[in-house]
Amino acid sequence: MLNARVAIDREFRISPVRRRTFGSFVEHLGRCVYTGIHDPGHPTADADGFRGDVIELTRELGVSTVRYPGGNFVSGYRWEDGIGPVADRPRRLDLAWHSTEPNTVGVDEFMRWARKAGVEPMMAVNLGTRGIQESVDLLEYCNVESGSHFSDLRRRYGSAEPYDVRMWCLGNEMDGPWQVGHKTAREYGRLAAETGRAMRLVDPNLELVACGSSSSGMPTFGAWEATVLEEAYEQVDLISAHAYYWEDDGDTASFLASSVDMDHFIESVVAAADYVRAAGKHKKRINISFDEWNVWYQTRTESEPPKDSWPVAPPLLEDRYTLTDAVVVGSLLISLLRHSDRVHAASLAQLVNVIAPIMTEPGGKSWRQTTFFPFADASRHAKGDVLRVSLSSPTYDTARFGDVPVVDAVATRDDESGETALFAVNRSVHEPVLLEIDLRDAAEARLLASTTLTADDPDLRNTAANPEAVTPRDNPKVSVSGRTVQVELPPLSWNVVRVAG
Ligand code: AHR
């Protein structure tokens, strides 16, 4: 048994818990939209063709915002294809995923779905093959009440009320050579600035997100952010970050330490943004929208789009997540939460079927992947303020990151209810950890709940046939004495300990 200690004090506030940390992402990719959220033949489908079971799971997951419609898809997308009578909508080649886009679902359908799912829509505009005019047109369609071509068109197509979308991504991954319409940082920064300026003429109160780097491994990482912000600092509010993690060559130790890269990513982007702020004598701060993050087995064949055909909604990127993957997702959530002072939004990519916490069979079952649970736990129990914790943990050696703490943790404190929640991972594959939690400012702690997500087999997955193979359970190995809680974290586990006091 290993030993670790964490001290929590409500005075050590980082920032309020930001609901937008618990965002997700719906892209026209594979089966995310078609047979994911939209499946008219499904027994739970409503009059709009949306799956009721998926809406319920989205609510249970606790998703706040949903980014739409891409992703790489958006960089070749003509949003006007997706409005008006469905029978008249064109079928288009989607170059990003080598698929055919039937345009059965477009912006109006997505907004209807978002309302039903209780999520805030976050739109992305195409700055790959298109530009300022088309972005402004889409904004007019979404946010202007009436009296102009596109706002009246929206009304004619059935939505009298504007959608009032606040967050807008100015393009997607424009630093990536794979992106249709890929640009240099200077080219993109100029376009983002001018697009943002024009969009704000329509609606001054938008929150605009410039594209940052597609991963910390990009050759332009750091310099890209600085150059883009040199051009667009005053026109945007946030800069994006994207990161996917996978186990390379069986190196589980490094994979479990992926959040070390996420910490480094966030801190580097903050440094680049603050450098531009100082050099440009700007007043406001630019914060981060970590609007794509997850585990993604990019090395597996199901990530490859078809090359010799153009199918509609082929199964793509349908990673089946293990317990190990869930522990990594949990540790990434800890990293996002502890950087809440500068990470103001995040999107787990994606929501359904495509590298997703929710899986569906076309016309059939739906189930929760292992990664569903850390996200749902954090979304449900992180309330009030995020607290910096003082953590002493044994370390283990990794090939990619050197010595890494076995335990990682973050806490939140809700002054209204008096509840403190600790979120902790044990990255040791074999050893349990006895974690002592010292609630420094409490006279007496009272345990509310202690749960753990673990399994004997690190590779265990949930499937349609066995949807609850990996599911959180109460952790009975917990005791309280005065202001101290002792909890045994099983090997390879995601844990939530909730106390009052
Ligand atoms: O989420 C899958 C893809 O990953 C997105 O389309 C793209 O933005 C990123 O490279």
Side-chain angles (χ1 to χ4, degrees):
M1 173 95 71
L2 301 172
N3 286 282
R5 193 173 173 281
V6 64
I8 303 176
D9 191 313
R10 75 179 78 155
E11 295 298 317
F12 299 163
R13 290 191 161 84
I14 297 175
S15 83
V17 173
R18 298 179 196 281
R19 289 307 309 158
R20 281 177 174 168
T21 308
F22 306 108
S24 187
F25 177 28
V26 165
E27 177 169 2
H28 285 251
L29 192 184
R31 298 195 307 112
C32 187
V33 172
Y34 305 111
T35 73
I37 64 169
H38 191 257
D39 195 355
H42 192 270
T44 70
D46 62 15
D48 291 317
F50 296 125
R51 287 181 67 140
D53 57 343
V54 172
I55 287 179
E56 253 174 58
L57 286 169
T58 303
R59 286 181 175 275
E60 182 186 323
L61 187 60
V63 173
S64 53
T65 52
V66 174
R67 183 169 175 252
Y68 175 86
N72 295 343
F73 170 79
V74 80
S75 294
Y77 182 49
R78 286 170 265 211
W79 69 268
E80 305 89 329
D81 290 348
I83 58 173
V86 172
D88 298 345
R89 297 183 191 177
R91 291 164 71 86
R92 299 274 192 195
L93 299 184
D94 161 20
L95 304 184
W97 301 107
H98 215 277
S99 305
T100 296
E101 173 53 50
N103 283 305
T104 316
V105 170
V107 61
D108 293 313
E109 287 79 16
F110 175 70
M111 294 297 165
R112 273 205 289 283
W113 178 83
R115 204 172 309 123
K116 290 178 182 185
V119 302
E120 177 192 355
M122 172 179 172
M123 292 295 287
V125 297
N126 174 357
L127 294 188
T129 58
R130 309 185 98 192
I132 303 171
Q133 187 61 64
E134 297 86 349
S135 304
V136 167
D137 292 347
L138 176 58
L139 174 63
E140 180 188 322
Y141 189 84
C142 289
N143 284 14
V144 172
E145 197 162 333
S146 63
S148 65
H149 174 73
F150 282 110
S151 60
D152 287 344
L153 205 53
R154 183 199 68 241
R155 292 168 75 90
R156 182 161 2 125
Y157 293 152
S159 299
E161 294 300 315
Y163 299 131
D164 194 29
V165 180
R166 290 296 105 208
M167 281 187 88
W168 291 79
C169 301
L170 302 173
N172 177 70
E173 293 191 347
M174 301 308 301
D175 64 324
W178 58 86
Q179 200 69 210
V180 175
H182 161 60
K183 294 174 176 52
T184 66
R186 196 65 69 191
E187 288 165 348
Y188 168 69
R190 289 284 307 124
L191 181 57
E194 292 310 320
T195 306
R197 199 193 314 279
M199 288 174 75
R200 284 222 164 101
L201 292 174
V202 176
D203 185 340
N205 299 319
L206 303 177
E207 293 166 71
L208 299 179
V209 187
C211 292
S213 293
S214 305
S215 82
S216 66
M218 294 299 287
T220 50
F221 178 63
W224 172 275
E225 283 79 358
T227 307
V228 167
L229 290 177
E230 274 165 18
E231 296 294 343
Y233 200 96
E234 286 302 328
Q235 283 73 41
V236 302
D237 306 285
L238 301 128
I239 184 136
S240 72
H242 290 182
Y244 293 100
Y245 299 99
W246 63 95
E247 187 175 301
D248 235 351
D249 284 337
D251 181 2
T252 310
S254 297
F255 176 50
L256 282 164
S258 296
S259 65
V260 175
D261 176 77
M262 187 180 252
D263 289 342
H264 154 77
F265 195 147
I266 294 168
E267 286 154 26
S268 305
V269 174
V270 166
D274 288 352
Y275 155 72
V276 180
R277 176 177 184 247
K281 307 203 170 15
H282 300 284
K283 287 212 165 53
K284 69 175 184 185
R285 283 188 201 282
I286 298 290
N287 294 302
I288 297 175
S289 169
F290 217 117
D291 48 40
E292 287 189 33
W293 68 272
N294 205 346
V295 169
W296 174 6
Y297 291 111
Q298 306 201 31
T299 44
R300 296 206 192 143
T301 47
E302 63 264 35
S303 286
E304 290 292 316
K307 292 197 175 62
D308 46 2
S309 64
W310 297 86
V312 174
L316 286 174
L317 284 59
E318 298 204 1
D319 286 9
R320 305 297 163 114
Y321 292 119
T322 64
L323 169 69
T324 307
D325 300 328
V327 173
V328 172
V329 163
S331 66
L332 297 172
L333 279 161
I334 290 171
S335 170
L336 291 169
L337 279 167
R338 83 164 138 251
H339 290 99
S340 293
D341 52 338
R342 298 303 292 271
V343 175
H344 284 202
S347 302
L348 176 69
Q350 298 190 2
L351 182 67
V352 194
N353 291 330
V354 173
I355 43 174
I358 301 169
M359 294 300 295
T360 69
E361 289 173 337
K365 291 182 183 167
S366 56
W367 66 99
R368 301 164 190 81
Q369 295 234 56
T370 58
T371 53
F372 184 100
F373 299 107
F375 190 101
D377 279 343
S379 177
R380 186 172 317 127
H381 299 302
K383 288 189 207 127
D385 291 312
V386 187
L387 304 182
R388 198 175 308 286
V389 299
S390 164
L391 180 70
S392 332
S393 163
T395 58
Y396 72 107
D397 183 42
T398 68
R400 276 193 68 198
F401 306 110
D403 279 351
V404 170
V406 170
V407 174
D408 200 2
V410 71
T412 60
R413 158 91 192 174
D414 185 20
D415 282 340
E416 239 171 70
S417 63
E419 178 175 330
T420 300
L422 181 84
F423 305 95
V425 288
N426 176 3
R427 292 168 165 140
S428 170
V429 181
H430 301 295
E431 300 236 41
V433 175
L434 187 63
L435 177 67
E436 186 178 290
I437 307 167
D438 181 9
L439 290 145
R440 288 186 8 155
D441 55 353
E444 190 117 316
R446 185 165 50 86
L447 185 72
L448 298 173
S450 174
T451 59
T452 188
L453 182 77
T454 192
D456 292 337
D457 175 3
D459 293 329
L460 200 60
R461 297 169 162 87
N462 292 340
T463 59
N466 190 3
E468 293 187 357
V470 182
T471 189
R473 55 179 168 75
D474 286 339
N475 183 353
K477 296 188 175 171
V478 61
S479 64
V480 185
S481 162
R483 66 179 208 194
T484 306
V485 180
Q486 283 205 331
V487 58
E488 189 179 311
L489 312 179
L492 204 59
S493 59
W494 156 263
N495 304 273
V496 185
V497 181
R498 290 165 50 224
V499 289

